Amino acid sequence: MSEGTTKQFLYVNRKAPHGTVYALESLEVVLIGAAFEQDVRLAFMDDGVFQIMKGQDTTGIGSKNFAPTYKALGDYDVNKIYVEKESLDERGLTEDDLMPLTYEDEDDDWAEKPSIKIVSRAEMADLIDSSDVMFNF
Amino acid sequence: MAILHTVNKSPFDKNSLERAIGVAKEGSSVLMIEDGVYGAMKGASSSAMVEAAMKTVKVYALSEDLSARGVNDRVIDGVELVDYAGFVKLAAEHTQVQSWL
């Protein structure tokens, strides 16, 4: 994909992880899309913030636990992950309740850096405004 | 007429929990399952409503669904956790089951 234009892709995640299939579908599309070397950003807002909660264990409900897969996003160069602060606040959550998603920065001697950035609702609006293509889950 | 009200939607996404609590009469029970268990979280915008309801209504949450979502250690004090067998027992003990979808 050396030819052509690079577009800003934004995946907007607004659903809780296990009650519906949206979260898993989004994650799969993100991972597939990562092969196309576009500029990919992930947004988590509303119940979507529950997708990246620490300590999810689906053994008891007999469904696939895809939560650990989010930790692989950094290896696919998906390292711009935005979480809306207002959504965390409403649910009594802080950044410490989220999985520590990281990536290795090839421009900085492969230093491990956090992928998650907590943003305000206003910053989220700017993020949406500056995207070329949006996928909503 | 003790009714078991089950709620399977997140209180931040749907008003199912609010409606169930509003209808649940004294002596009846509310059981949170699936995404409904987010309603059992303390420190959230929904917590005060649930705590107020617990004065007249027994509130339960399904522990398997809490664990799946990583919220099993942040449940409001006094919300009773049940497993699937407990869910069946509750259904049998009440005269009716009303599902708030």
Side-chain angles (χ1 to χ4, degrees):
Chain A
M1 292 273 291
S2 53
E3 304 287 315
T5 343
T6 301
K7 291 193 172 181
Q8 290 275 3
F9 279 56
L10 180 68
Y11 293 86
V12 180
N13 299 286
R14 295 184 54 246
K15 303 274 190 192
H18 306 293
T20 65
V21 80
Y22 286 94
L24 175 59
E25 289 290 319
S26 173
L27 185 57
E28 293 194 336
V29 172
V30 168
L31 288 169
I32 293 162
F36 294 93
E37 294 180 18
Q38 298 294 308
D39 193 346
V40 171
R41 304 184 291 189
L42 267 60
F44 291 91
M45 64 178 89
D46 301 328
D47 276 351
V49 301
F50 286 131
Q51 294 178 24
I52 49 175
M53 279 279 286
K54 275 180 188 162
Q56 299 178 55
D57 177 5
T58 59
T59 314
I61 61 169
S63 68
K64 178 179 173 178
N65 190 8
F66 54 92
T69 312
Y70 291 97
K71 294 178 185 169
L73 288 171
D75 298 332
Y76 289 86
D77 291 328
V78 177
N79 50 37
K80 290 190 276 276
I81 299 176
Y82 300 88
V83 180
E84 191 188 75
K85 184 174 187 300
E86 285 84 345
S87 297
L88 290 175
D89 290 346
E90 191 189 1
R91 290 158 183 78
L93 305 177
T94 67
E95 188 173 1
D96 288 341
D97 297 313
L98 307 177
M99 291 185 281
L101 306 180
T102 59
Y103 72 104
E104 292 175 341
D105 189 350
E106 61 179 310
D107 298 325
D108 190 10
D109 200 23
W110 305 100
E112 189 170 84
K113 296 185 177 179
S115 300
I116 293 179
K117 190 176 178 210
I118 309 296
V119 297
S120 67
R121 191 155 285 174
E123 289 171 309
M124 191 61 88
D126 291 338
L127 198 66
I128 289 168
D129 201 52
S130 65
S131 298
D132 300 311
V133 184
M134 271 185 285
F135 293 97
N136 294 281
F137 292 93
Chain B
M1 286 290 283
I3 294 179
L4 175 65
H5 298 270
T6 65
V7 177
N8 77 338
K9 297 293 190 297
S10 161
F12 312 108
D13 192 39
K14 294 270 177 0
N15 68 351
S16 310
L17 178 61
E18 188 185 350
R19 298 292 284 123
I21 284 174
V23 165
K25 287 192 173 257
E26 189 164 353
S28 58
S29 307
V30 173
L31 168 63
M32 303 169 186
I33 60 171
E34 301 168 21
D35 283 345
V37 299
Y38 289 122
M41 287 172 66
K42 59 185 167 193
S45 60
S46 53
S47 306
M49 172 181 74
V50 176
E51 283 158 2
M54 286 165 63
K55 289 172 185 152
T56 55
V57 172
K58 192 86 185 87
V59 178
Y60 302 87
L62 193 70
S63 57
E64 284 88 342
D65 282 323
L66 288 163
S67 297
R69 290 158 181 79
V71 295
N72 46 305
D73 58 353
R74 49 200 317 142
V75 172
I76 295 168
D77 292 337
V79 170
E80 195 173 318
L81 306 191
V82 295
D83 58 11
Y84 286 110
F87 183 173
V88 174
K89 192 160 175 280
L90 283 175
E93 284 169 359
H94 290 76
T95 53
Q96 278 192 73
V97 178
Q98 164 70 17
S99 300
W100 296 86
L101 305 177

